[in-house]
Amino acid sequence: MIPIARPIVDDEEIEAVARVLRSGILAHGPEVEAFEREFAEYIGVDYAVAVSSGTAALDLILKAYRIRHGDEVITTPFTFIATANAILYQGARPVFADIDPETYNLDPDKVLELITPRTRAIIAVHLYGHPADMKPLREIAEDHNLILIEDAAQAHGAEYMGKKVGSLGDVAAFSFYPTKNMTTGEGGMVTTSDKKIAERIRLLRNHGQAEKYLHTELGYNLRMTSIAAAIGRVQLRKLEWMNQRRRENAETMTKILQAVKGIEPPVEKPWVRHVYHQYVIRVTDSFPLTRDQLAEKLRGHGIATAVHYPRAIPDQPLYKSLGIDCPQGCPEARRAARQVLSLPVHPAVTIEQAKTIAETVKQIVEG
Ligand SMILES: Cc1ncc(COP(=O)(O)O)c(C=O)c1O
């Protein structure tokens, strides 16, 4: 079976972890600081703050900006649940704007319609590794004095108009979960060029400790371990190669799939560099099988698939129970949830396998 995700971890990571274990410094220390410096330099920002997960990164960002009860944060209904939950953690209200059907990312025009005097921030997700349309979002944020947050959990190394994601808004959150473009096991990172926010996140991730046993505010333990940082440093050095492999696999599959009736392969806008965290096709109504039937057939051919994501966030039982729906109805997010299918694209997939995956889809229709 070709799996839908597999981290590329080898002797280098194993040796880095062994070195940390032998050093005796297992929690926060020089390894974490080195990872932060290297990550900040790679993204092109002044500061990077390592934390325990991507969820922790989002949570700490919203806490650092003092988002709270009564505030509204506009985001996409078509993302992993963590994006929206981070807003709920603060007691604030997520307001879902519909997506662009081509890139599956926030539609800036829809965001604009939803701004109220209570809106404090926008969280743009670079879904599947394709950057959100940050220029108009930046303009909207500036015009309405809103904080612009990037959820870059799926987009390490992606670029928008020549700049890396993570450097395009006021602040950004990355995840290093094992399925991501680079991993630390569990882990996350905040990137920003705002010194005050970086300092505040450092404080909040470590029990609000300004000096040893001097606690100036209510903080948390959301630190990254040295073991995770050691893995991350090796993974960061491999990231360009791994992203390149994803791009080659994507190109191989798109060449074949663009000729298959009823299948819409992913789009890469000319002003971005897509890093294909997921390679997501749309199985439209003119395809002879349903999305789920196609997934089942592929499984029979030894190809694993996944659906990212089968429900728009407001259709999750949690959000239904809270009565948080889409003010605009979110027809595009809901249509995407019915039609998307992720095919294996990760760097452990060979070009030959990528060809086989796409050819198999083609043969399933053509018989
Ligand atoms: C878009 C998005 N945001 C946030 C997260 C949360 O990251 P983590 O799993 O590291 O907490 C993830 C991934 O899991 C994600 O895909």
Side-chain angles (χ1 to χ4, degrees):
M1 182 72 71
I2 304 175
I4 189 68
R6 185 154 85 219
I8 305 267
V9 172
D10 53 37
D11 287 350
E12 255 194 287
E13 284 85 351
I14 293 167
E15 278 158 26
V17 169
R19 179 170 47 74
V20 168
L21 291 176
R22 286 193 198 98
S23 79
I25 305 173
L26 307 190
H28 192 92
E31 201 67 29
V32 176
E33 284 160 18
F35 184 33
E36 289 178 337
R37 276 195 306 277
E38 289 159 9
F39 200 79
E41 192 184 338
Y42 175 75
I43 297 297
V45 289
D46 292 342
Y47 309 99
V49 185
V51 294
S52 55
S53 70
T55 307
L58 286 167
D59 185 26
L60 287 170
I61 287 169
L62 296 180
K63 284 183 165 61
Y65 281 102
R66 298 187 162 86
I67 304 287
R68 55 169 72 104
H69 182 73
D71 292 339
E72 292 176 357
V73 178
I74 301 176
T75 193
T76 166
F78 197 56
T79 177
F80 182 59
I81 195 89
T83 315
N85 282 359
I87 303 166
L88 292 184
Y89 296 157
Q90 321 309 319
R93 190 173 180 83
V95 176
F96 297 112
D98 207 3
I99 58 166
D100 165 17
E102 260 193 314
T103 65
Y104 305 100
N105 281 322
L106 265 185
D107 177 340
D109 291 335
K110 298 283 190 273
V111 170
L112 191 56
E113 287 171 16
L114 294 174
I115 294 173
T116 73
R118 289 180 298 283
T119 311
R120 289 279 319 280
I122 301 167
I123 306 181
V125 180
H126 306 304
L127 197 72
Y128 308 144
H130 188 296
D133 200 0
M134 294 301 286
K135 191 164 176 272
L137 290 172
R138 174 94 259 172
E139 283 163 11
I140 293 168
E142 278 169 9
D143 288 350
H144 296 84
N145 197 21
L146 307 175
I147 304 149
L148 182 57
I149 300 164
E150 294 173 79
D151 181 339
Q154 304 188 358
H156 322 64
E159 290 174 17
Y160 178 85
M161 297 185 178
K163 284 184 76 184
K164 291 241 160 52
V165 308
S167 70
L168 304 164
D170 294 300
V171 63
F174 287 87
S175 162
F176 302 125
Y177 187 73
T179 57
K180 299 295 194 274
N181 292 47
M182 61 175 280
T183 186
T184 63
E186 292 274 10
M189 191 76 86
V190 176
T191 56
T192 183
S193 289
D194 184 327
K195 187 165 190 241
K196 275 207 180 96
I197 286 300
E199 280 172 359
R200 200 162 147 67
I201 289 172
R202 284 186 206 287
L203 199 67
L204 291 172
R205 79 170 166 187
N206 189 26
H207 286 298
Q209 181 170 262
E211 288 170 27
K212 185 100 182 151
Y213 299 133
L214 178 74
H215 303 273
T216 52
E217 63 182 301
L218 181 64
Y220 307 83
N221 176 358
L222 296 171
R223 298 178 302 249
M224 176 178 277
T225 67
S226 297
I227 300 162
I231 301 171
R233 293 181 71 192
V234 177
Q235 288 271 304
L236 183 58
R237 290 199 292 273
K238 292 179 173 175
L239 180 61
E240 278 306 306
W241 164 81
M242 293 192 291
N243 279 343
Q244 198 46 39
R245 289 282 309 113
R246 285 176 185 272
R247 287 178 56 77
E248 285 160 11
N249 284 341
E251 197 186 338
T252 302
M253 291 194 281
T254 295
K255 264 192 202 136
I256 298 164
L257 291 174
Q258 64 198 4
V260 178
K261 191 169 176 295
I263 295 290
E264 288 176 11
V267 164
E268 180 179 29
K269 289 287 186 187
W271 50 88
V272 311
R273 178 183 190 239
H274 195 328
V275 291
Y276 294 96
H277 168 58
Q278 298 296 349
Y279 182 90
V280 178
I281 59 172
R282 194 189 273 275
V283 184
T284 69
D285 295 341
S286 59
F287 192 74
L289 305 180
T290 66
R291 184 258 315 267
D292 297 345
Q293 285 169 334
L294 174 60
E296 201 42 49
K297 287 250 181 196
L298 287 170
R299 170 158 285 280
H301 284 86
I303 299 163
T305 60
V307 174
H308 301 101
Y309 297 91
R311 284 186 175 85
I313 305 260
D315 298 330
Q316 290 289 352
L318 168 66
Y319 284 75
K320 278 181 183 288
S321 74
L322 296 171
I324 303 176
D325 200 352
C326 280
Q328 298 153 329
C330 295
E332 290 301 344
R334 286 179 164 134
R335 190 166 68 95
R338 281 196 311 276
Q339 295 185 329
V340 292
L341 186 67
S342 305
L343 306 179
V345 72
H346 53 86
V349 174
T350 64
I351 294 278
E352 276 315 304
Q353 285 175 321
K355 251 187 219 150
T356 305
I357 294 166
E359 289 291 353
T360 309
V361 174
K362 198 171 160 197
Q363 278 158 21
I364 287 170
V365 213
E366 291 171 2

